[in-house]
Amino acid sequence: MSNGSPPLRGTMVPLSHFPRWDQRIVGFPQKSIFHETAWLRYLEKEQGGQAVVLRIVDAKGRERALWPGLTVRKGPIRIFGSPLRGWGTVSMGPLYHEGDADRLMGAAERALAQGGVHHWEFVSQTLGHPPPGLGYRFEFSDTHRIPLGPDDDAMWHRLEQRCRTAVRKAWKCGLSSRLAVDGGFLDPLYELVAATFGRKRTTPPYDGARLKRLWDTLFPLGKAFGVEILHGSTLASAAVFISDGTDVYAWSQASAPPFNAMCPNNLLYWEAMRHSSRLNASYLHLPGAPGSSIGRFKESFNPEIFRFPFWIRDRSAVLRWGRRLYFEWQSGLARWRYHSSRAAK
């Protein structure tokens, strides 16, 4: 609670006002690749928005928090996302060393309202839950966070027995792995992704061109890598991972059904663990809801279940209903695209 302390003050500033942004945010405990310049500029191009920072100071003008995000428009509605769902961004939210959640949120909300923002969403694991009555609601995205280490043997023995057996089976079936040296594997990977979603009668949340733009943005910076699992020269499974040196995130992955009995995905994630540990990363994040079929598979890597909470706030009930209708429309559009593509074949 605020304990009677003076309120903080926030202003919304374009990211371009921080020419040394990446150096400025080093040392914040919440920092991830999703706070960095490369990712924010990538989102600008993909989402057609503007990268901004909520700069929050105390009564003496001392900086207390930096809160990056994007402002985008949906018709007349101005939205601030840090991030929004569908951006392929696991987390973002405010960067701060210490602070009172109530005061921080109050300063951010006033800055957003002054900036003409009607709806905002963000992810933060450190703010906790706000007191009732502030108008926020929550949605959660779960991930499987696998602890890494410099010792392959220790990581190997941490896997469940069924996972180790599956990796050995992949080797016995003649599967091999390699790190991608360029983006040549992206087209075959996306074909597998599209086929996977097609079997679920839906479409991927991104297209092949977006996957290539992500790779072209991050791979030259050493912040993305790919793993391919091969049977001879045939691609059995592949994935793109992104990394900030501390955490590695699986961003796109799929396998070819004819090879699934050979356990290519177990081998893929094992090799991703080994490579990530060599990058001195602490965790490998694999998305997937616990209890689902994909979740049960990933549980064989003995992960921690980590929840990313989306804080969501609308300035009016009309916007709240509009958002619900928008997502229902998106879902219907995905189903229509799937059936249209099937009918065209």
Side-chain angles (χ1 to χ4, degrees), residues 3-239:
N3 298 320
S5 300
L8 301 176
R9 178 170 54 87
T11 53
M12 191 162 63
V13 184
L15 179 66
S16 57
H17 288 202
F18 299 87
R20 294 175 57 83
W21 172 254
D22 288 346
Q23 291 85 352
R24 189 162 183 164
I25 64 175
V26 169
F28 281 103
Q30 303 86 3
K31 178 195 165 294
S32 71
I33 187 173
F34 306 110
H35 292 94
E36 296 177 1
T37 301
W39 190 262
L40 293 168
R41 293 306 186 198
Y42 163 75
L43 285 182
E44 272 190 324
K45 295 176 183 177
E46 294 301 312
Q47 305 302 327
Q50 181 187 26
V52 298
V53 177
L54 300 179
R55 182 175 181 268
I56 297 174
V57 300
D58 63 18
K60 296 182 178 180
R62 294 173 298 195
E63 193 169 86
R64 299 297 298 274
L66 294 169
W67 192 328
L70 249 68
T71 57
V72 296
R73 284 193 175 274
K74 301 293 184 182
I77 308 302
R78 194 177 190 200
I79 299 170
F80 173 80
S82 184
L84 294 184
R85 289 291 188 101
W87 283 3
T89 303
V90 175
S91 66
M92 199 178 286
L95 299 167
Y96 61 98
H97 290 290
E98 60 181 21
D100 182 307
D102 289 1
R103 297 171 69 215
L104 181 60
M105 292 299 302
E109 290 172 359
R110 289 188 291 273
L112 290 167
Q114 291 166 5
V117 173
H118 305 93
H119 171 95
W120 53 88
E121 300 182 20
F122 65 92
V123 177
S124 175
Q125 297 85 45
T126 56
L127 283 179
H129 284 242
L134 294 186
Y136 282 91
R137 63 189 186 280
F138 286 86
E139 296 176 3
F140 293 92
S141 178
D142 295 319
T143 191
H144 298 76
R145 188 174 74 169
I146 303 173
L148 304 174
D151 188 323
D152 282 5
D153 287 341
M155 290 195 299
W156 177 257
H157 289 293
R158 181 179 170 83
L159 303 177
E160 290 187 0
Q161 179 60 50
R162 60 186 172 119
C163 188
R164 295 196 297 268
T165 299
V167 174
R168 292 190 186 102
K169 182 177 181 180
W171 288 328
K172 290 178 180 178
C173 289
L175 296 183
S176 61
S177 65
R178 71 182 180 193
L179 285 176
V181 296
D182 56 34
F185 76 111
L186 296 176
D187 283 338
L189 167 59
Y190 190 75
E191 289 179 7
L192 296 179
V193 169
T196 299
F197 277 84
R199 288 190 292 275
K200 300 176 183 177
R201 300 190 175 186
T202 186
T203 55
Y206 54 90
D207 58 19
R210 181 179 174 188
L211 182 61
K212 287 182 178 179
R213 289 191 295 270
L214 177 140
W215 179 266
D216 290 342
T217 299
L218 298 181
F219 180 71
L221 301 175
K223 295 181 179 295
F225 66 90
V227 177
E228 300 172 80
I229 303 299
L230 304 166
H231 187 258
S233 60
T234 303
L235 188 67
S237 182

Side-chain angles (χ1 to χ4, degrees), residues 144 200 253 265 269 287-289 291-299:
H144 298 76
K200 300 176 183 177
Q253 188 274 326
N265 295 328
Y269 288 129
S292 65
S293 59
I294 190 65
R296 288 190 295 273
F297 161 73
K298 291 175 181 177
E299 286 165 8

